């Protein structure tokens, strides 16, 4: 199945653009490993296990919500869900060994393209208030803070990014 960025070349991309594809059942162990590696450092800081670490990765993959990058080893992934009026970005995870290589940037651009392909005018996400690295990243990609809200043990900052639909 082709997705908005499932091919290496395309408008505005070059051969160095990571290929992003839907995850398969065979990818579930790697999805779990990358998610764990990406979020584990936050446990001590935020005082709880980040929700993506507790997700049912097999169910998310089976539902077509997970997209991965990295060949032959998965280095990053996103978990998305189309909702009325927006695409919800539930998780973006990049293995620490792949930090600084453009994996996160490619995944965020993929999410935008995927939302546009679905005709959705907005992407929404949240991050824990103590994950301050994310609070620096998301505004650079056009996200704006909508609200700060406590959901159970999670102190979350909610973001949105409005997209031009062509």
């Amino acid at each position: 199945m082709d997705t908005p960025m499932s091919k290496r070349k395309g408008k505005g991309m070059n051969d160095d653009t990571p290929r992003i594809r839907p995850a398969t059942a065979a990818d579930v162990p790697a999805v779990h490993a990358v998610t764990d590696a990406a979020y584990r450092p936050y446990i001590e800081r935020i005082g709880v296990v980040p929700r993506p670490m507790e997700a049912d990765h097999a169910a998310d993959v089976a539902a077509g919500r997970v997209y991965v990058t990295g060949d032959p080893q998965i280095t990053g992934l996103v978990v998305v869900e189309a909702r009325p009026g927006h695409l919800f970005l539930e998780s973006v995870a990049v293995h620490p060994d792949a930090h600084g290589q453009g994996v996160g940037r490619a995944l965020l651009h993929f999410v935008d393209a995927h939302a546009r392909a679905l005709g959705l005018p907005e992407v929404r996400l949240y991050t824990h208030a103590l994950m301050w690295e994310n609070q620096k990243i998301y505004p650079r990609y056009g996200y704006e803070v909508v609200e700060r809200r406590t959901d159970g043990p999670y102190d979350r900052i909610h973001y949105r990014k409005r997209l031009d639909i062509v």
Side-chain angles (χ1 to χ4, degrees), residues 13-136:
M13 291 184 274
N14 60 39
D15 285 338
D16 295 331
T17 302
R19 181 176 177 271
I20 299 170
R21 62 173 175 78
T24 66
D27 296 322
V28 170
V31 167
H32 177 78
V34 170
T35 301
D36 189 65
Y39 285 94
R40 182 161 298 285
Y42 294 111
I43 294 173
E44 185 175 345
R45 187 189 309 169
I46 68 174
V48 294
V49 174
R51 174 114 357 126
M53 292 178 71
E54 297 178 329
D56 184 341
H57 302 297
D60 286 340
V61 168
R65 299 178 58 225
V66 182
Y67 295 84
V68 298
T69 189
D71 187 27
Q73 186 173 347
I74 293 173
T75 56
L77 63 102
V78 290
V79 181
V80 295
E81 181 179 359
R83 295 183 178 173
H86 70 278
L87 185 67
F88 180 64
L89 174 53
E90 186 169 325
S91 176
V92 57
V94 176
H95 194 283
D97 293 345
H99 285 181
Q101 298 176 20
V103 175
R105 176 179 58 244
L107 288 166
L108 289 174
H109 288 307
F110 167 81
V111 169
D112 292 354
H114 189 58
R116 284 186 183 101
L118 295 172
L120 297 171
E122 190 171 283
V123 176
R124 295 183 191 173
L125 62 87
Y126 55 71
T127 190
H128 195 283
L130 294 178
M131 293 180 178
W132 53 77
E133 301 89 344
N134 297 342
Q135 295 172 49
K136 294 177 184 174

